[in-house]
Amino acid sequence: MTTATYELMAAGQNVLNLGAAFIGGLVVAGALIWAVRIGMKVMDQEELRPRPEDQPRLPETGAVHEMREMREPDEMPMAPRDGERLMPYQLHHSATRTGKDQQRKRWLPGSSGAFGSGGPGHV
């Protein structure tokens, strides 16, 4: 075999590879077009999006502001000794209540430090 024969065989193989790549590209493009069309049909079947006038509005009194308060634990009432159990209406709604002391605890120099912080701990 001569070099010309090898060149013809290589060119023939390249044509087959190029044709396979082109057909593969057409399959992928067709699949993408099909997926987009299916997605458009699904979107057409969905409910309409809310209009701007259907959106929530601020109250007439204005925005609600944050309220800060110090909380303390609200202990569970003790059950009577005669064996009667506590009923749900005897329990509180929350595990905490508004604290008597509303002063915010502040950091004191020399009193901080904990495991891993590098400080000496409580001195």
Side-chain angles (χ1 to χ4, degrees), residues 87-123:
M87 301 304 285
Y89 57 82
Q90 294 171 316
L91 301 176
H92 303 285
H93 298 293
S94 174
T96 61
R97 64 174 179 244
T98 303
K100 294 177 183 131
D101 181 22
Q102 289 296 313
Q103 294 296 326
R104 191 170 157 213
K105 293 186 176 40
R106 297 308 226 168
W107 174 78
L108 299 173
S111 68
S112 69
F115 178 75
S117 69
H122 294 285
V123 183

Side-chain angles (χ1 to χ4, degrees), residues 37-88:
R37 292 190 66 182
I38 294 295
M40 290 171 62
K41 284 182 186 177
V42 168
M43 285 182 65
D44 288 342
Q45 293 173 355
E46 290 178 352
E47 290 184 22
L48 294 176
R49 292 190 173 91
R51 297 182 309 253
E53 56 267 8
D54 295 337
Q55 299 295 325
R57 303 251 186 258
L58 278 176
E60 291 181 13
T61 57
V64 177
H65 296 285
E66 178 180 326
M67 185 177 95
R68 289 187 180 212
E69 65 180 3
M70 303 303 292
R71 306 285 293 174
E72 61 185 27
D74 193 8
E75 302 296 329
M76 180 172 287
M78 296 293 292
R81 288 270 182 201
D82 58 3
E84 214 175 295
R85 65 187 179 115
L86 290 173
M87 301 304 285

